[in-house]
Amino acid sequence: MDYVIGSGPAGVACATALLGRGRAVTMLDAGLTLEPGYEALRMAMAARAPEDWTPEQHAMRRLPAGGGVPDYKLSHGSDYPYRAAPGAPGLGIDVPGVAASYAQGGLGNVWGAAMLPYRAADFATWPVAVEEMAPAYRAVLGFVPLAGQADALEPEFPFYVRPRADMPVSRQAKALLRRFARASLPGVVAGRARLAVRAAGCNACGECLNGCPRDLIFSGRQELAALRAAGMTYIQGAVVRGLAEDEHGVQIHALTAMGGQVFSGDRVFVAAGVYGSTGLMLRSLGQARAEILDSQYFILPLLGLARTTGVAAERLHTLAQVFIEIEDAAVAAQNVHLQIYGYSDVLDATIAQKLGALRELRAQVLERALVVQGYLHSDVSGRLAARLEGDVLRVTAVPNLATPAVLKRLVRRLGRLAPVLGARPLGPLLQAMPPGRGYHSGGSFPMRECPGPGETDTLGRPYGRRRTHIVDAAVFPSIPAATITLTVMANAWRIGNES
């Protein structure tokens, strides 16, 4: 019997690979789910056209009063993806808005659905080459829906599996893409956002950032029925506290509804998310500390050179519209990943808050506003120091002195690109979030060709272990700037397929 711990993107990808090999698989999962009241709200809204939704339904799902970027992105009005499960080990993170997830499907219940592979250059420091990852990318995209379009991103970011649909983009985004298509910009490439969404069912209600009422955004939670149909046993309400192994197999110590239990099997695949996996492995290996890498996240408003009237009335999704990749010339082989967002209730509330007494100008500002959500390579980002204090994992942000200079170069470069962007960056309003805030983190047990203590081999096995495999981002040797989830899933599938 093979055990998989966790039902997030890494867990379902690994379980899919193991079942495909004919292995017997049991998934252990805390498995918190959306409360019945919020689920009833979601289903009621899914069954009606957006114009028929009541003000009360809108109010239940809205972001907290005051606008801005909230500490936590809610799911259909609920914060359940961030709650600790009963019996879960303690976790203390000094970064507001950062938490582990014990939800069924993990943080995939609240992600932005952005889906790019890593470039060949991003694997240069990994013990796994892009050629080894390609079959895994194809396998994952065989069951994860992908909306996208062939464009200038493709040479460096292949599709691996052709998308069967696309998501519409706003008039602002269309104009931006037309300008990029006409321009020749060395080191800069732009294209349509690629999104893990079942696009054919989208009615452009604009509720993406609050949770899709039709549940069209991919989540590992959605795959559990198919995995169970393929023979996987799913045990909900299991919180794993420790792992051991000997020459005969593995022993998994967990708390369940029946109390403390020990599960024994051939192998265990740890997919508990970077904080869950780091804490579990430190306790199980008798280690006290680890360093977590991060692809640091930032937000930069853009002000359009011209107005685009009626943006608030345009029926659209509110996920990323455009991806822009910019090489950082000062750091060889690295790039900055930008996601461009248009109108949303988050943007509207934020602008209203910033304008204060000048709120009557809100409509005019909205018709010029775009937002960049960006990520840096881990080499120029802050990190997170993790240490065990008894049963509690303490996580502390450690800034990188190189980060401000990288962001300053980026703002200057975007300023030079203003005619192509059709907008100017508002540099004074740039928000550089602390390490961990963008949830593109990992690397606490990095893969190495010849691992030592605190490292793993190319199958995610910690030094000294043969039957324990870490399969989530905790094994990434670096965190490139591009979106993380597709490569998390592909690497987890590869380990499950090769172990």
Side-chain angles (χ1 to χ4, degrees), residues 152-177:
L153 292 171
E154 194 168 0
E156 283 208 283
F157 300 92
F159 275 108
Y160 293 102
V161 172
R162 285 285 165 189
R164 291 183 288 273
D166 196 10
M167 294 287 281
V169 296
S170 67
R171 287 174 293 141
Q172 287 174 303
K174 286 178 182 176
L176 185 154
L177 288 168

Side-chain angles (χ1 to χ4, degrees), residues 79-444:
D79 65 354
Y80 84 96
Y82 312 99
R83 291 188 202 139
L91 178 63
I93 302 178
D94 75 352
V95 181
V98 178
S101 181
Y102 291 91
Q104 196 175 87
L107 291 171
N109 292 290
V110 286
W111 72 310
M115 205 72 158
L116 274 182
Y118 286 168
R119 306 169 304 157
D122 293 327
F123 291 101
T125 60
W126 289 38
V128 179
V130 69
E131 291 79 12
E132 297 171 77
M133 292 293 294
Y137 280 131
R138 285 192 286 271
V140 167
L141 291 170
F143 65 90
V144 175
L146 180 66
Q149 189 178 94
D151 54 31
L153 292 171
E154 194 168 0
E156 283 208 283
F157 300 92
F159 275 108
Y160 293 102
V161 172
R162 285 285 165 189
R164 291 183 288 273
D166 196 10
M167 294 287 281
V169 296
S170 67
R171 287 174 293 141
Q172 287 174 303
K174 286 178 182 176
L176 185 154
L177 288 168
R178 283 195 299 268
R179 289 190 296 269
F180 267 94
R182 292 193 296 264
S184 177
L185 302 168
V188 182
V189 64
R192 294 279 278 268
R194 299 185 197 172
L195 303 170
V197 175
R198 294 189 298 279
C202 178
N203 63 359
C205 71
E207 286 287 307
C208 313
L209 300 180
N210 302 311
C212 174
R214 295 187 168 189
D215 203 23
L216 301 178
I217 298 172
F218 174 80
S219 164
R221 164 182 47 78
Q222 300 162 347
E223 293 299 304
L224 294 179
L227 292 172
R228 283 181 289 206
M232 186 186 81
T233 300
Y234 178 70
I235 299 178
Q236 189 174 8
V239 175
V240 176
R241 305 272 310 189
L243 304 173
E245 71 169 65
D246 54 31
E247 65 272 20
H248 304 296
V250 295
Q251 300 82 46
I252 304 165
H253 298 264
L255 289 176
T256 70
M258 300 173 63
Q261 285 188 261
V262 178
F263 299 90
S264 298
D266 298 306
R267 293 181 182 272
V268 61
F269 298 83
V270 180
V274 63
Y275 302 113
S277 294
T278 299
L280 174 59
M281 294 314 305
L282 288 178
R283 286 189 295 273
S284 300
L285 296 169
Q287 298 178 13
R289 297 176 181 274
E291 182 180 67
I292 298 173
L293 306 178
D294 186 59
S295 167
Q296 204 154 338
Y297 162 62
F298 61 91
I299 297 174
L300 176 64
L302 304 177
L303 187 64
L305 302 178
R307 293 172 61 180
T308 304
T309 58
V311 292
E314 203 171 355
R315 283 285 292 271
L316 288 169
H317 69 85
T318 49
L319 298 170
Q321 300 267 329
V322 175
F323 291 165
I324 301 176
E325 311 299 323
I326 300 181
E327 290 181 8
D328 184 355
V331 185
Q334 291 184 10
N335 72 310
V336 179
H337 171 73
L338 307 179
Q339 298 175 185
I340 308 296
Y341 291 78
Y343 176 82
S344 69
D345 62 322
V346 177
L347 180 60
D348 194 348
T350 301
I351 288 174
Q353 181 188 42
K354 296 289 185 185
L355 288 174
L358 301 177
R359 290 189 180 190
E360 66 273 10
L361 300 176
R362 174 175 138 268
Q364 295 180 42
V365 175
L366 278 172
E367 291 173 351
R368 294 178 182 266
L370 292 169
V371 175
V372 170
Q373 178 175 290
Y375 294 88
L376 306 177
H377 192 281
S378 57
D379 285 356
V380 292
S381 299
R383 303 188 176 197
L384 297 149
R387 68 188 186 280
L388 278 181
E389 294 182 359
D391 197 39
V392 177
L393 183 69
R394 298 287 181 191
V395 180
T396 304
V398 181
N400 187 330
L401 296 178
T403 304
V406 173
L407 292 173
K408 284 181 182 177
R409 286 197 301 271
L410 174 67
V411 172
R412 287 197 299 268
R413 193 161 186 185
L414 291 176
R416 294 193 295 271
L417 291 173
V420 181
L421 286 169
R424 296 189 184 280
L426 300 179
L429 299 183
L430 183 142
Q431 290 180 274
M433 298 299 185
R437 186 63 178 82
Y439 285 97
H440 288 198
S441 307
S444 48

